[in-house]
Amino acid sequence: MNMMESAKPAEDDTALPVSERIRARILNANQRFHANDNIASFIAPGETDALLDEVAAKMKGVLESLVIDTESDHNTHDTARRVAKMYLTEVFRGRYVAAPPVTEFPNAERLNELMIVGPITVRSACSHHFCPVIGSIWIGVLPNEHTNVIGLSKYARLAEWVMGRPQIQEEAVVQLADLIQEKTQPDGLAIVMEASHFCMSWRGVKDMDSKMINSVMRGVFLKDPNLRREFLSLIPKKG
Ligand SMILES: [Zn+2]
């Protein structure tokens, strides 16, 4: 049962906080809004500023509950707004803005050799603690004559957009693979991500050296162990 059915449409109710208006639109469209989902198409022009005000006010409440004197402590006086701005416009920007424009070209040269892009720097944060996740990605593409070709820098743009959300590494690489697959339609796609999770070093077990490595293989990379080996041998040794 859809709980929203009985509720009146919140669309024009400007008395509601902007986050609730956005949430109502997402629920009406039956879409998901997990931490690593992009919700840009549900945000009306101009609402981002209102959202920033709302998050800043709530962040101020967090500082108050942490018993920090933001009135006399000049260091934390504007922290609430700085954190709100950092979340909405920097580190979690990939939730709130539309996908970067990527021009696709036909594969006029009929490229059909393994192509590797990387390392692409990854800056993300874990969904569990909002702690930074910093690392690198390598992308392997095996094009065919129908594959769309995109500029090398576009892989980095797409990765930045997907990683600019609270993420779980395993889900992040799958989201990125789906996006590149959809944009370029190659015969094979391989992604390896290696990252340090600050929730392992700054807190928790406080292990400074642990890194998480994972990969997704699609198409011919799944079927052809030689191709997989070639890709893995060409990306720099990790550890
Ligand atoms: Zn974490």
Side-chain angles (χ1 to χ4, degrees):
M1 187 185 105
N2 185 346
M3 301 293 287
M4 288 304 292
E5 256 160 24
S6 56
K8 71 186 176 73
E11 188 66 33
D12 298 310
D13 193 346
T14 47
L16 282 176
V18 64
S19 67
E20 285 185 35
R21 300 205 299 271
I22 296 168
R23 186 194 314 265
R25 287 175 208 140
I26 302 173
L27 290 169
N28 277 337
N30 271 321
Q31 294 296 304
R32 214 181 72 156
F33 54 110
H34 290 185
N36 60 3
D37 288 326
N38 179 278
I39 58 165
S41 59
F42 299 100
I43 302 173
E47 281 184 340
T48 314
D49 288 343
L51 202 52
L52 178 60
D53 290 341
E54 183 184 330
V55 176
K58 293 210 164 143
M59 196 54 69
K60 190 165 185 292
V62 171
L63 289 162
E64 278 163 9
S65 295
L66 289 168
V67 200
I68 294 172
D69 181 1
T70 59
E71 289 307 312
S72 357
D73 176 8
H74 58 278
N75 293 323
T76 54
H77 187 66
D78 296 320
T79 295
R81 178 158 283 270
R82 274 193 295 263
V83 172
K85 198 172 174 193
M86 175 182 77
Y87 281 166
L88 287 167
T89 69
E90 295 178 299
V91 298
F92 301 150
R93 181 180 152 81
R95 291 196 83 226
Y96 303 100
V97 299
V102 172
T103 316
E104 297 128 41
F105 306 99
N107 185 359
E109 305 292 327
R110 294 173 175 258
L111 306 168
N112 62 355
E113 299 290 330
L114 173 61
M115 182 184 84
I116 298 174
V117 190
I120 295 170
T121 302
V122 168
R123 295 177 196 86
S124 192
C126 76
S127 294
H128 298 144
H129 305 93
F130 282 12
C131 282
V133 174
I134 307 284
S136 301
I137 283 180
W138 287 264
I139 300 169
V141 179
L142 194 80
N144 63 44
E145 59 194 283
H146 306 294
T147 298
N148 293 316
V149 180
I150 65 175
L152 286 184
S153 65
K154 301 301 183 190
Y155 290 98
R157 290 275 162 71
L158 294 174
E160 185 182 35
W161 185 62
V162 166
M163 297 300 159
R165 306 168 195 173
Q167 278 287 9
I168 298 301
Q169 185 166 333
E170 303 91 307
E171 295 178 7
V173 288
V174 170
Q175 281 190 341
L176 183 60
D178 289 345
L179 184 63
I180 294 172
Q181 184 76 38
E182 176 210 325
K183 298 263 180 218
T184 64
Q185 307 286 328
D187 274 355
L189 176 65
I191 299 181
V192 169
M193 174 168 165
E194 177 201 60
S196 298
H197 289 245
F198 283 45
C199 59
M200 297 278 287
S201 50
W202 186 33
R203 57 161 297 286
V205 295
K206 300 191 174 119
D207 181 344
M208 302 306 286
D209 296 325
S210 74
K211 285 185 173 172
M212 181 172 172
I213 300 176
N214 68 344
S215 64
V216 255
M217 302 282 162
R218 298 270 171 90
V220 280
F221 283 96
L222 276 179
K223 295 181 207 120
D224 183 348
N226 288 327
L227 181 68
R228 205 156 58 226
R229 260 194 298 275
E230 187 187 350
F231 169 67
L232 293 171
S233 72
L234 286 170
I235 65 177
K237 281 274 167 292
K238 289 172 290 325

